[in-house]
Amino acid sequence: MNGQFIKQMIKRALMQYRGEHEQWITADMLNELYNQVITEQLQDDRELHEIVQDIVYEYVTTYA
């Protein structure tokens, strides 16, 4: 799967949960969440969008 596609999914989820404006989403934040998604995807058979939603939700509820 294309890394840019997954990062776009993460951006959309961040904007959905936090109302983040795209310019506030840092490259470090995206990379951290992307790495978590990839790690989880290797260990889990859930759909990609479910993994992205769960990881972003956990991120925003923990760090927001």
Side-chain angles (χ1 to χ4, degrees):
M1 174 103 10
N2 184 333
Q4 282 303 113
F5 177 75
I6 295 173
K7 288 181 180 184
Q8 277 302 118
M9 290 178 71
I10 294 168
K11 278 184 183 180
R12 274 184 275 185
L14 282 167
M15 289 187 281
Q16 173 189 347
Y17 283 122
R18 277 181 85 178
E20 289 282 14
H21 294 287
E22 193 166 348
Q23 65 267 22
W24 294 343
I25 300 171
T26 66
D28 287 341
M29 180 191 307
L30 269 182
N31 289 333
E32 176 184 337
L33 293 171
Y34 173 79
N35 289 336
Q36 289 179 30
V37 168
I38 295 303
T39 301
E40 186 75 20
Q41 189 178 30
L42 294 173
Q43 301 171 359
D44 198 325
D45 63 346
R46 291 182 295 155
E47 295 288 325
L48 178 62
H49 71 276
E50 293 174 0
I51 294 171
V52 169
Q53 292 291 324
D54 289 349
I55 287 174
V56 169
Y57 179 78
E58 183 179 328
Y59 180 84
V60 299
T61 56
T62 302
Y63 298 106

